[in-house]
Amino acid sequence: MSGNDAGGKDTGGKARLDVQLSCPAPVGTRDRVVLGHGGGGLMTNRLIEDVFLGAFDNPWLGTRHDGAVVPLGTARLAISTDSYVVSPMFFPGGDIGKLALCGTVNDVAMCGARPLYVSAGFILEEGTPIEALRRVVSSMQAVAREVGVQVVTGDTKVVERGRGDQIYINTTGVGLVEAGRQVAPNRVREGDVVLLSGDVGRHGIAVMSAREGVAFETTIESDCAPLASMVQGLFDAGVDVRCLRDCTRGGVASALVEIAEVARVEVEIRDDAWVVEAEVLGACELFGLDPLFIANEGCLVAFVAPEDVAKALAVMRADPAGRHAREVGRVMKAERAEVRLRSSLGTSRVIELLSGEQLPRIC
Amino acid sequence: MKFVREFRDGEATQRCAETIAREARHHWTIMEVCGGQTHSIMRFGLDALLPPAVELVHGPGCPVCVTPLELIDKALVVASRDDVIFCSFGDMLRVPGSDGDLFTARARGADVRIVYAPTDAVAVAHKNPDKQVVFFAVGFETTAPANALALLQAHTAGLTNFSMLVSHVLVPPAVAAIARSPTCRVQGLLAAGHVCTVMGYAEYEPLAAQYRLPIVVTGFEPVDILSGILACIRQLEQGQFVVENGYGRAVRREGNAHARAMIEEVFEVTDRVWRGIGVIAESGYRLRAKYAAFDAEVRFSVEDVGARESTACRSGLVLQGLIKPNECSEFAVRCTPENPLGATMVSSEGACAAYHRYRRRAMGREVDA
């Protein structure tokens, strides 16, 4: 955090005249958290590296997966935690409760584990209608029942009006990883096939359309759904699953880039391989957003052995969340740790993490 | 999606590229004016489909990029007031001013909100009568009608807590400035389809004749862009210099009369500073005197806020097509999307950001500082 207060820090209150600077201060060495730090891109990664990794340094954290797989006696336990602050808390296709259960249970499943128990912490803003809370909790219980997990412990805190946004939820999930099962980026190798379980971009656009001030109406619903049974189905069918990742914040693109970087492999995907609903595509075109970077909440990428592709696709497509499952790419001879997008025009380009959030463009 | 898929068709794109390769017998330098076109070219890798004889340079048509530093500074001053709700399009929030950007201002406590349409800011003003709501009205002719509409709504409703920080810019004067510059390399021009949807293209006709510059009104999809390049090359090879409409599905010669009338009602032409380029005479809009009550610069007394531009950022040369982003020594070294030294690295439509996102590795600049 180098000093960057060339212009004086206090810009509040009165108009500050005669700003005379020779250089617009680079804004990279930010001394405060900005929204981009939560975008799931480079800024998020840098924050994690700068603040958290050094402080909590241990081999499990170092794997940079969605959850950690830790030994406990003779068993292996998968643990994952996530906080949910979505606004608005009710959106087409779901609410913050459904999201809080699905998201955490999915992260546990992405470790190759069978999710078993969940904790739930609620931060409630003074004045929030109890009825809204009841609806949210009921959504959580519906998902818990569907997946077969129990919410076994919880916490409730209330903050003053204005110090929260009605309901924030943190959930932590634990599950058991079957003996001998390894699902992690370091198992990915040349020739593996990349499968995508669903259509792309629905959650992000559904939430955006429900936000105050967005003047477009759609019938788009979030894809928010539990993926644990689909994952279990893959193992039951004997598919050699090398690595899994749900494509939440940062979208399919960020999930793939993170796996490619950790696994040190080159992944090539084809731009005509996945499904984007027409309305999602329309909204993306309108706002200048790339669907590949938009959040999903019921969609995963699976790296599987090439001989298991047909089997895996059959399992995925039998699941309600996997109707649009497709083969989207392949792991190439590893020259560089990167993701390449091959277009139907015959061109190709590298896909990189965004620095912060995608911002709607001006025109 | 109608009007998207057919204009992204692989075969049609390839055919067009092959025709360009066949017909381009000389070296030609063509500028796409609009940042949206630059973004498409990078995203789809269209320049890789062109023969070596055809070179693309990137124009000044990114509103985020050309909004002057001093206006960002004014925005920061206004947004930081306790009594203000500052509304802006999303991609203006990351543009660096002299002391941080609007995201930083928000992190310091300012009430800065992203809106998707200028009329949303008017709605915010209705809902917050005890606050001053300011809309950051930037952009080219494309956004001017919607901004004019918002202002007229506020005027009709008699809102006294709504104002606009205006920095509209116009394409034709910028094109003329680039064309008459002694260092100009541009031989053909792809005009910005969306701007022409509003304004039409009659005002480009004298420019094409005077500067011997083929101008093709061009859309944003791969087939649009390659067709525009092909039309330019055909004219250049035949020694023609006229305006052609290559975006007939959206553009008429006279533009959109209703939108133009609204612009005419609210705005008048004025000189404007273009970030990285300097002052261009009669190259922008300001509010007409009868709407001065809605002028945020006057309301918050920030007319005198000024700022000097970084000497490190060479975006002015990029915006005039004189250098490519990767020819700047700071590109991907000190200047990155997380640490932009200039606005061309901020917006997804900025040429430097587009190069950084899609081309950095190919350029051999892999290591972030």
Side-chain angles (χ1 to χ4, degrees), chain B residues 126-261:
Chain B
H126 275 292
K127 272 194 180 170
N128 297 275
D130 54 334
K131 290 276 188 182
Q132 285 290 327
V133 175
V134 182
F135 178 69
F136 202 4
V138 299
F140 284 89
E141 296 93 325
T142 334
T143 50
N147 292 349
L149 174 68
L151 191 126
L152 291 173
Q153 279 184 0
H155 183 254
T156 307
L159 282 181
T160 54
N161 67 329
F162 179 82
S163 60
M164 278 184 173
L165 190 57
V166 178
S167 179
H168 268 295
V169 279
L170 304 172
V171 170
V175 167
I178 290 168
R180 70 172 167 261
S181 150
T183 51
C184 176
R185 302 174 54 217
V186 180
Q187 295 165 298
L189 200 82
L190 308 184
H194 290 161
V195 169
C196 296
T197 306
V198 175
M199 302 302 287
Y201 52 83
E203 54 188 333
Y204 294 87
E205 287 165 356
L207 297 179
Q210 184 181 348
Y211 298 108
R212 299 174 64 78
L213 197 65
I215 299 178
V216 181
V217 179
T218 304
F220 301 85
E221 300 302 332
V223 173
D224 287 320
I225 289 171
L226 291 186
S227 306
I229 293 169
L230 178 60
C232 261
I233 287 189
R234 282 185 173 154
Q235 284 200 39
L236 287 165
E237 292 285 353
Q238 291 163 17
Q240 281 185 325
F241 311 101
V242 296
V243 177
E244 278 180 62
N245 183 8
Y247 199 34
R249 66 187 186 278
V251 174
R252 285 170 298 170
R253 183 172 180 276
E254 68 281 10
N256 180 328
H258 188 62
R260 292 181 66 177

Side-chain angles (χ1 to χ4, degrees), chain B residues 264-306:
Chain B
E264 182 67 19
E265 167 63 26
V266 172
F267 296 113
E268 64 189 7
V269 172
T270 183
D271 298 351
R272 278 274 175 222
V273 177
W274 292 56
R275 189 170 198 174
I277 296 178
V279 178
I280 302 178
E282 301 189 338
S283 67
Y285 288 137
R286 68 172 170 220
L287 291 174
R288 286 192 182 278
K290 68 197 253 203
Y291 297 111
F294 293 93
D295 189 339
E297 288 198 45
V298 177
R299 184 170 298 185
F300 301 104
S301 311
V302 289
E303 295 134 300
D304 298 332
V305 172

Side-chain angles (χ1 to χ4, degrees), chain A residues 8 11 13 19-21 24 28 30 35 46 212-214 285 336 338 345 347 349 352 361-363, chain B residues 8 14 43-44 80 91 98-99 101 104 106 116 120 127 306 308 310 338-339 349 358 360-361 366:
Chain A
T11 56
V19 180
Q20 288 294 337
L21 292 170
R30 291 175 188 273
L35 276 182
R46 299 232 162 117
E212 189 185 18
V214 180
E285 292 295 329
R336 279 176 156 158
E338 66 185 18
L345 308 181
T347 57
R349 63 177 162 90
E352 307 221 33
R361 68 172 174 217
I362 288 179
C363 63
Chain B
R8 283 183 193 170
Q14 285 292 352
R43 177 177 170 197
F44 294 104
S80 301
D91 49 359
S98 298
D99 183 26
D101 56 20
T104 314
R106 181 148 96 173
Y116 300 91
D120 294 346
K127 272 194 180 170
R308 273 206 306 275
S310 160
E338 305 97 78
N339 274 323
E349 294 180 10
Y358 296 129
R360 180 160 57 95
R361 302 206 184 202
E366 285 196 50

Side-chain angles (χ1 to χ4, degrees), chain A residues 251-272:
Chain A
V252 176
S254 302
L256 290 175
V257 171
E258 282 167 17
I259 291 172
E261 286 182 352
V262 176
R264 309 296 307 164
V265 296
E266 183 175 326
V267 177
E268 184 177 281
I269 55 173
R270 297 189 319 273
D271 76 347
D272 54 356

Side-chain angles (χ1 to χ4, degrees), chain A residues 111-175:
Chain A
C111 300
R114 183 192 289 276
L116 294 169
Y117 303 106
V118 172
S119 76
F122 294 85
I123 297 173
L124 307 174
E125 186 188 15
E126 180 186 26
T128 301
I130 297 286
E131 186 47 39
L133 183 60
R134 227 186 276 282
R135 272 177 71 189
V136 165
V137 169
S138 151
S139 302
M140 292 175 78
Q141 179 51 23
V143 178
R145 197 180 308 116
E146 182 185 341
V147 181
V149 299
Q150 304 282 341
V151 179
V152 291
T153 183
D155 176 52
T156 308
K157 295 281 186 296
V158 177
V159 295
E160 287 165 47
R161 187 187 278 273
R163 294 186 60 200
D165 185 13
Q166 302 208 59
I167 300 176
Y168 294 152
I169 305 175
N170 171 274
T171 48
T172 300
V174 293

